[in-house]
Every structure is written in C-alpha cells, then in structure tokens.
Amino acid sequence: MITQINGLHHVTSIASGAQSNNDFFTKTLGLRRIKKTVNFDAPEVYHLYYGDEAGTPGTVMTYFPFPNARRGRPGTGEVGITGFAVPKGSLPYWQERLATFDVKNMQTETTFGENRLRFDGPDGDGFVLVETEDDARDPWTNNGVPADAAIRGFHSADMRLRDAAASAELLKYMGYEELDRQDNVTRFHVPGGNEANVIDITQVNAPGADQGAGSVHHIAFSVDNREKQLEVRKALMDTGYQVTPVIDRDYFYAIYFRTPGGVLFEVATNEPGFDRDEDTAHLGEALKLPTQHEHLRQVLEEKYLEPIVD
Ligand code: ZN
C-alpha cells in the first residue's frame, strides 16, 4: 500500500475568462493569487493559481481560463464539488458576502455532521464551504475577508461516479481509509495527512460529464518530495496503472494517471514551491514563463493573454 500521500496538493479546473476567474477567487473568496503563468502544454492559455500566502500544498486552486470556453455539463466521471475549509460559525458571514457578489445557487446543508454552504463559481463550478474546527492553517486575509471567516485551504474533493467500488479500492491503496457513509456518499481520509485529506465519492446513476468551463480538469495529491513520488509511481505501475513519466512543472514535479471512474489524478511534490522564481511578498504579480516558453513572452502578452486588472 502507498503511504506517501498527504492529502490534496491542488485542484485544477477550467474557466471561460481570466478576469472573471481572477476576480472570483481574489475578490469574492479572498484567496491570494500566488502564480500567474501559462499552461505549460498550451502556452497561449494562462495557468492561474490561488491559495494561501505561500501557496501551501492543500490550499492551491488552479485554473486554465480558455477565453469563451463553452460551459461543461456536470455528470459522472469527474470531481463535482471542491470543498474549502472555513472556521466554525462563519457560514452566515459567507452567505451574506456571496449574496453581495451575486453568487448563484447558494444552499446550506449538513453532511457528515458538518455545516456546509454550496454555491456555484462563475462558470457553474461546484463549490462548498465547510465549517471545521481546529484548522491550524493561517488564512490569507489581505483581500477583505476577516481572519475569523477566511478560507483555510481545501477541505475535500467529491468525485461523482457511477460505480464507486474500483475508485474506493484505489483510494484505499493510496493510503485513504473509509471514514463514514451518508446516503450515496462515502467519505475517505488519510490518517495523519494534511488538513486537505478528505475525499468523498458520490455514487449516482447519471450520464458522463462533458468537460468544459466550470469542470474540474484533475486533482493532485501531495507527496513530500521526488523520492516519495517515484515510490508512488512504481507502486501504481506495479498495480497496473499507466502513469506518465515525472514532468517538471517548475513549482512541483508531477505524474498523472487516469482512475477507473474516469477522473484524472496527479501526484505532485511539495518541493520546490511557488517561491522558486519570485519572493513570497510578490507571488503572483508578474507573468512567469517556464524556460521553454520564455521566447514566446512578447507574442503571448500581445496576442493571447488578456491583461488581468487586479
Ligand atoms: Zn495539476
């Protein structure tokens, strides 16, 4: 069994516009933009990262904003809900705040004994704020959300699947334990993992998702370093998974594999981190390009990447 995984590292989704995406995460949700770079595999598209002050693994929500991307259709075979942890008692604040920003489809609910506020992102993305106790993570509080309400980082990701069994087996192999069940949702967590160590599987008999704006592209799991990543890669391949070679993403090293339920998983290293090419005090301010795309800077800025007004 794999014992190297800490919990979530980042979640990456698709958006239809860079500005609206930036505004939603920094102004509405109060996160910090920690990196402004491009999709390394398609550099005419931004890759925007939001998180806590340093971009600590387990807090990092990332987006590929494709201008005018058509909206995805929610369904099975994807992560349907991304959860953020907020302090106990803060949901009334968030309900009022999100209403002020005209956020759609807000709904309060209680799941696994936790008070939650469901809402949609700008492209219909499924989000939930979950009240948690004793989350030791320091929030970013420079964007207008007070410390007693600010997002601490991820709480969980919820995979919507037609058949939970094979993915449940995979999660257990990855070090997750089944924690609880409620209706058609099974909750897993990594004992001793980071604060973003919960995965839910919602089993529903519904058509497959059609990926587009508002869809989660993949979720990434955290490992401490490259050595542990290679151990995870070998263990997955020994079990029959087809895993990519290690890919350098500048701020972490990544491997990817497709899971039985159709969700794309990544395993990402906590090293070297987002301060690799800019000081923590200025994270996310300048357009950062990987070495292989630096020669494209002028054409990318002039023709492809819409300027983002902060
Ligand atoms: Zn990723």
Side-chain angles (χ1 to χ4, degrees):
M1 192 183 84
I2 291 168
T3 57
Q4 295 88 343
I5 287 171
N6 304 311
L8 289 172
H9 183 286
H10 63 269
V11 174
T12 296
S13 296
I14 299 167
S16 62
Q19 184 71 56
S20 55
N21 182 253
N22 182 78
D23 290 351
F24 184 77
F25 282 94
T26 61
K27 298 190 169 94
T28 307
L29 295 186
L31 299 181
R32 184 185 197 191
R33 192 178 70 229
I34 49 158
K35 194 62 67 181
K36 182 164 70 170
T37 183
V38 294
N39 181 334
F40 288 12
D41 302 319
E44 67 282 0
V45 176
Y46 274 125
H47 194 177
L48 302 176
Y49 291 73
Y50 311 96
D52 69 358
E53 181 178 19
T56 308
T59 74
V60 182
M61 184 78 219
T62 100
Y63 271 85
F64 300 132
F66 289 88
N68 306 313
R70 61 163 183 76
R71 189 171 279 204
R73 191 192 63 225
T76 48
E78 67 174 357
V79 169
I81 304 170
T82 303
F84 294 101
V86 295
K88 198 109 183 145
S90 67
L91 286 189
Y93 167 86
W94 279 106
Q95 263 185 297
E96 202 177 316
R97 181 179 181 86
L98 298 185
T100 307
F101 284 92
D102 203 23
V103 168
K104 306 293 188 219
N105 291 325
M106 279 196 282
Q107 189 185 328
T108 53
E109 59 192 24
T110 302
T111 309
F112 297 114
E114 296 168 328
N115 294 323
R116 299 153 49 109
L117 176 61
R118 288 269 290 115
F119 60 98
D120 284 359
D123 295 300
D125 328 47
F127 290 121
V128 64
L129 295 174
V130 186
E131 285 191 350
T132 59
E133 274 180 296
D134 306 326
D135 193 323
R137 295 176 290 183
D138 288 327
W140 178 249
T141 53
N142 292 14
N143 286 340
V145 180
D148 61 2
I151 288 172
R152 267 47 185 176
F154 290 122
H155 169 273
S156 54
D158 186 321
M159 301 197 287
R160 193 162 40 212
L161 305 175
R162 285 175 76 100
D163 176 11
S167 293
E169 280 311 303
L170 170 61
L171 285 178
K172 287 176 185 168
Y173 183 63
M174 290 170 66
Y176 281 76
E177 282 181 4
E178 187 177 321
L179 204 58
D180 206 351
R181 287 184 192 211
Q182 183 178 325
D183 305 324
N184 57 338
V185 185
T186 310
R187 169 155 291 189
F188 299 84
H189 82 148
V190 185
N194 65 20
E195 302 276 10
N197 67 347
V198 171
I199 299 285
D200 290 333
I201 295 181
T202 298
Q203 183 166 294
V204 285
N205 191 9
D210 184 14
Q211 199 170 75
S215 305
V216 172
H217 185 270
H218 64 266
I219 59 173
F221 296 86
S222 147
V223 290
D224 293 338
N225 54 45
R226 299 186 70 183
E227 188 186 343
K228 290 189 177 182
Q229 183 180 51
L230 289 177
E231 291 166 8
V232 171
R233 184 171 186 272
K234 181 175 186 310
L236 288 167
M237 291 181 72
D238 287 349
T239 315
Y241 283 97
Q242 294 196 348
V243 187
T244 67
V246 175
I247 300 170
D248 182 356
R249 296 303 191 194
D250 274 18
Y251 312 108
F252 48 86
Y253 292 87
I255 56 175
Y256 303 86
F257 64 105
R258 188 69 66 177
T259 65
V263 178
L264 183 61
F265 275 10
E266 173 184 343
V267 177
T269 58
N270 290 358
E271 56 179 16
F274 294 95
D275 61 353
R276 178 186 168 275
D277 58 358
E278 54 190 345
D279 288 343
T280 301
H282 295 284
L283 283 182
E285 292 176 9
L287 175 66
K288 292 297 183 184
L289 297 176
T291 311
Q292 65 270 31
H293 297 322
E294 190 57 58
H295 68 285
L296 299 171
R297 179 175 289 274
Q298 193 180 348
V299 68
L300 290 176
E301 286 187 311
E302 286 177 4
K303 281 195 171 170
Y304 291 101
L305 303 173
E306 62 173 289
I308 297 172
V309 181
D310 290 313

